[in-house]
Amino acid sequence: MAVPPSAKSLTSAVAALRKEEIIPEVVSEFEARTTLAINYGNYNNAFLGNRLTIANTQDAPQVYFYSDSPTNKYTLIMTDPDAPSRKFPKLREYCHWVVSNIPAPTPGQPAELAKGVVLLPYMGPAPPPETDLHRYTFLLYKQPATATAANTETLYTRLPEKRHRFKARDFAARAGLELVGANFFQAEHTSPTSRL
């Protein structure tokens, strides 16, 4: 679960995003306001660039974060900037998941994603063979007080392609979203049975 956000943990998260070039390739510099814990179960947690297997990340994870107000709403995006590979990202980004209108969670409890609006259902990682590690990136945005599921969904459906060539930065700007937390893990295709 997410730990209360300390200055050190927030600084470490942003530093890891810079080190792996998620800043600036996916998002611009931002002030992290919460830790974002991603739990796939059985100790398979995303932690600022650690490696997870494809097999252990096929089901949607539990998500933990802290909110500064119980009335806030959030949007969560999972995106892969390395489509089809980090060296040749001609399909950047491949969007794996978008959930909007997520209510502020109870401290220490997972976010109730089922109470949000799924704009794009979860799709587990499926990197092609011989494309090395992919950076599966989770972005948590605070929605403006005026945001509704309807206007966020309308923005999304106007995008020409729903999975590849998605741009989290552009989507957030159009919807007036404020990036408050991020996390990521890395995974690669290892064998024909790596998804089993």
Side-chain angles (χ1 to χ4, degrees):
M1 76 180 65
V3 297
S6 68
K8 182 177 180 180
S9 64
L10 298 177
T11 301
S12 295
V14 172
L17 295 168
R18 285 190 199 112
K19 180 181 177 192
E20 288 298 329
E21 299 177 329
I22 292 167
I23 297 174
E25 291 178 359
V26 179
V27 296
S28 301
E29 289 285 339
F30 73 103
E31 180 183 347
R33 297 202 175 141
T34 182
T35 52
L36 179 60
I38 306 298
N39 182 346
Y40 281 99
N42 296 319
Y43 304 101
N44 290 297
N45 301 319
F47 187 71
L48 302 176
N50 63 322
R51 293 184 187 187
L52 296 177
T53 67
I54 295 169
N56 289 332
T57 54
Q58 290 306 296
D59 295 324
Q62 288 189 317
V63 177
Y64 296 82
F65 61 91
Y66 282 83
S67 176
D68 58 5
S69 169
T71 61
N72 287 344
K73 299 281 187 179
Y74 295 86
T75 294
L76 178 71
I77 294 174
M78 177 185 173
T79 188
D80 172 10
D82 304 320
S85 71
R86 191 167 178 177
K87 288 182 182 176
F88 303 104
K90 64 183 180 182
L91 300 178
R92 174 179 290 165
E93 300 155 29
Y94 194 90
C95 189
H96 284 261
W97 199 19
V98 181
V99 184
S100 71
N101 275 20
I102 302 166
T106 302
Q109 298 297 313
E112 295 183 87
L113 301 178
K115 290 186 176 179
V117 177
V118 176
L119 301 182
L120 191 63
Y122 183 83
M123 179 181 187
E130 300 178 16
T131 58
D132 298 319
L133 289 168
H134 287 235
R135 299 164 292 169
Y136 293 95
T137 306
F138 294 85
L139 304 168
L140 181 70
Y141 295 90
K142 181 179 170 184
Q143 297 177 188
T146 57
T148 66
N151 65 23
T152 306
E153 187 168 12
T154 299
L155 277 170
Y156 188 74
T157 55
R158 286 182 185 164
L159 295 175
E161 297 173 86
K162 296 193 177 206
R163 293 274 184 185
H164 62 285
R165 293 194 177 101
F166 177 84
K167 300 286 186 239
R169 186 187 337 251
D170 295 347
F171 175 75
R174 287 182 186 148
L177 305 175
E178 176 189 3
L179 184 60
V180 294
N183 199 345
F184 68 106
F185 69 89
Q186 299 183 74
E188 66 183 320
H189 184 100
T190 54
S191 73
T193 59
S194 62
R195 292 194 68 194
L196 301 178

